[in-house]
Amino acid sequence: MVTAPAQRPLSAYDVALAQFDAAAERLNLEDDLRQHLRQTKRELTVHFPVRMDDGSVRMFTGYRIQHNLARGPAKGGIRYHPAVDLDEVRALAMWMTWKAAVVNIPYGGAKGGVAVDPKHLSLGELERLTRRYASEIALLISPESDIPAPDVGTNDQIMAWIMDTISMQKGYSVPGVVTGKPVAVGGTLGRREATGRGVAIVAREAVRSLGIPLQGASVAIQGAGNVGLHAAQCLTQMGARLIAISDSVSGIYNPHGLDFPQVEAWKREHGQLHGFPGAEAITNDDLLALPCDILVPAALENQITGRNANQVRARLIVEGANGPTTPEADAILREKGILVVPDILANAGGVIVSYFEWVQDLQFYFWDLEEVNRNLERVLVRAFGEVASLAQQEGVDMRMAASMLAIRRVAEAMRLRGLYP
Ligand code: NAD
């Protein structure tokens, strides 16, 4: 069992390391590679000033961390959230390495973030913070070396500001420096919904493997952001029944099904789900314990833990968020016979379509939506099949199988490249 060092709660990095150690042990990975892969490669911390609307100057702290570059340039999102710290960004960077490897796209892993609540900034403050943070991490990011994308609290507008900032420094447009941009400035069709669409594709493959029909299957989703809302949209379009969804304020529940377009319109208009007519208000804890076919945690880390895993009554969990389940909870869910499709596979749709965006930017040649979605489907279905068959061969759960497949690919690249000098 994994425990945090005394006097502090389990961090996302504790969880990431515990998952890595278990898979490395199972793979019998050589000790030098194990030590190498437990560490991040580069960690940049920046403290920087931003002028606020009232004329005052406030200091902010941001990070950009690259975990491993053996398989290609670093790739990973940028998070704006008050809880962002070194350990969280390290964990997210490590998971990005495994995510790119498990779906077999040629990237290494990275992540960035700023400790800030973007909801408390005006649009002007958000833009100034973003441009200054982008300049501070310009040491690391470029289309060849490290390519950020949106994550919690960031969006396509923020990516456009980062792209513009780097382009101003260079003197020409550099669209390939970030992905998840608006289509008008070199973004790709299909990126905004890609992570949620990927969650839905993987959920469809997983219910098929369990013999549950997707038509009418009940779905509960924690988190009504980019990932949660698009997963809800795609799953309901595929015939599933959305029975509950939540945001950081509260959740809504109707066992007969929620009308997704109305839920989305309400969220857009009111900024929260609370008060949606025709639904019961529930807490996030209640949502995680609802009887349903598919539970999609799509908010933050450490949501399903040793404390509440016993109450989960879903048949399948598809991890839209990164790191929502702790190792202790994983063991309980396994015991209860609940299939968990792990984050590094389940939410890889975003990085897959980011990869397509980057390829299009490097070639200045853009695809239609049908081509993007067809290729997303192809890459994810192949990866799901590879993970599921490794899980069966090795008699392990899907998280272990996905980690083993990913670590094996990264380790192979490291052995081939050798040790420099
Ligand atoms: P987002 O900022 O668009 O949305 C996050 C949502 O979670 C918001 O609706 C917020 O209200 C809600 N939330 C926050 N705390 C909550 C809580 N305690 N309970 C319930 N809801 C809560 O972020 P996002 O881009 O949708 O990212 C969500 C998760 O998916 C994160 O773990 C992120 O790392 C992961 N992810 C995102 C992408 C992407 O392309 N955006 C790709 C892969 C993984």
Side-chain angles (χ1 to χ4, degrees):
M1 196 174 85
V2 200
T3 47
Q7 278 121 28
R8 75 165 174 78
L10 200 63
S11 75
Y13 195 44
D14 296 325
V15 172
L17 284 176
Q19 291 167 346
F20 170 75
D21 288 343
E25 187 62 31
R26 177 108 203 165
L27 282 169
N28 209 8
L29 192 69
E30 41 294 30
D31 200 47
D32 56 340
L33 285 184
R34 240 185 253 209
Q35 294 317 317
H36 198 145
L37 284 167
R38 287 185 109 255
Q39 307 273 356
T40 55
K41 178 179 175 66
R42 293 193 178 104
E43 302 185 341
L44 175 63
T45 300
V46 292
H47 305 285
F48 57 95
V50 178
R51 185 157 318 271
M52 310 307 280
D53 289 347
D54 66 4
S56 66
V57 173
R58 242 179 86 187
M59 292 301 293
F60 290 89
T61 298
Y63 309 92
R64 184 72 189 171
I65 296 182
Q66 299 173 349
H67 170 253
N68 185 277
L69 306 180
R71 301 180 78 255
K75 186 87 189 82
I78 289 177
R79 178 173 292 195
Y80 288 176
H81 190 278
V84 163
D85 64 14
L86 258 181
D87 265 6
E88 181 180 67
V89 183
R90 283 180 180 134
L92 291 163
M94 181 186 265
W95 283 324
M96 283 307 299
T97 303
W98 311 141
K99 194 178 300 184
V102 83
V103 295
N104 215 356
I105 55 176
Y107 279 140
K111 204 79 179 191
V114 178
V116 60
D117 187 343
K119 287 189 201 136
H120 293 160
L121 300 181
S122 70
L123 197 63
E125 289 168 342
L126 191 62
E127 178 174 352
R128 291 193 291 280
L129 175 135
T130 297
R131 287 183 180 280
R132 181 64 189 242
Y133 168 67
S135 306
E136 298 285 347
I137 63 165
L139 288 169
L140 292 184
I141 64 172
S142 76
E144 293 78 30
S145 58
D146 183 350
I147 308 112
D151 190 70
V152 174
T154 57
N155 57 22
D156 54 354
Q157 174 62 73
I158 290 173
M159 296 307 116
W161 289 328
I162 295 177
M163 182 277 241
D164 185 69
T165 302
I166 301 300
S167 300
M168 288 299 120
Q169 294 179 353
K170 291 283 180 192
Y172 50 88
S173 288
V174 191
V177 69
V178 283
T179 58
K181 299 178 296 296
V183 172
V185 291
T188 183
L189 296 168
R191 173 61 184 89
R192 190 183 287 190
E193 56 273 33
T195 309
R197 174 177 290 273
V199 166
I201 291 171
V202 163
R204 184 197 66 206
E205 296 300 301
V207 289
R208 188 178 293 160
S209 75
L210 291 174
I212 305 171
L214 186 55
Q215 190 67 36
S218 52
V219 181
I221 299 186
Q222 184 199 37
N226 179 290
V227 178
L229 286 175
H230 286 112
Q233 181 177 36
C234 289
L235 280 165
T236 50
Q237 280 167 358
M238 289 174 178
R241 180 167 45 100
L242 178 69
I243 60 163
I245 185 162
S246 64
D247 56 24
S248 57
V249 180
S250 73
I252 55 175
Y253 171 54
N254 184 338
H256 304 297
L258 298 158
D259 183 282
F260 176 73
Q262 283 182 21
V263 170
E264 193 190 24
W266 182 272
K267 171 85 181 164
R268 207 176 323 117
E269 194 181 328
H270 300 267
Q272 55 183 28
L273 296 164
H274 184 72
F276 180 75
E280 195 182 313
I282 53 165
T283 64
N284 264 297
D285 277 353
D286 295 339
L287 182 138
L288 295 174
L290 285 176
C292 60
D293 294 311
I294 308 170
L295 174 63
V296 180
L300 293 169
E301 300 94 56
N302 290 351
Q303 298 300 305
I304 305 174
T305 65
R307 183 183 59 81
N308 61 3
N310 244 322
Q311 289 148 28
V312 173
R313 284 184 287 167
R315 296 165 80 181
L316 165 70
I317 295 177
V318 183
E319 294 185 332
N322 286 308
T325 312
T326 65
E328 204 183 337
D330 252 337
I332 297 170
L333 297 171
R334 217 171 21 244
E335 191 70 20
K336 285 168 67 98
I338 298 173
L339 177 64
V340 179
V341 185
D343 46 9
I344 57 172
L345 174 64
N347 68 36
V351 75
I352 293 168
V353 176
S354 273
Y355 167 61
F356 299 156
E357 178 174 336
W358 178 72
V359 166
Q360 293 170 68
D361 286 339
L362 295 181
Q363 300 179 342
F364 290 93
Y365 177 77
F366 290 88
W367 307 358
D368 60 26
L369 182 60
E370 197 272 328
E371 187 166 4
V372 172
N373 285 342
R374 181 164 38 83
N375 280 291
L376 169 63
E377 168 91 21
R378 177 180 57 80
V379 174
L380 258 185
V381 169
R382 182 191 59 204
F384 183 92
E386 286 176 344
V387 172
S389 54
L390 186 63
Q392 198 165 29
Q393 257 170 44
E394 296 279 332
V396 296
D397 63 22
M398 286 196 81
R399 188 183 316 281
M400 175 62 88
S403 303
M404 287 170 69
L405 185 61
I407 294 168
R408 201 187 269 167
R409 284 180 177 153
V410 175
E412 183 193 1
M414 290 171 76
R415 284 188 211 104
L416 286 167
R417 289 179 65 152
L419 197 61
Y420 173 87

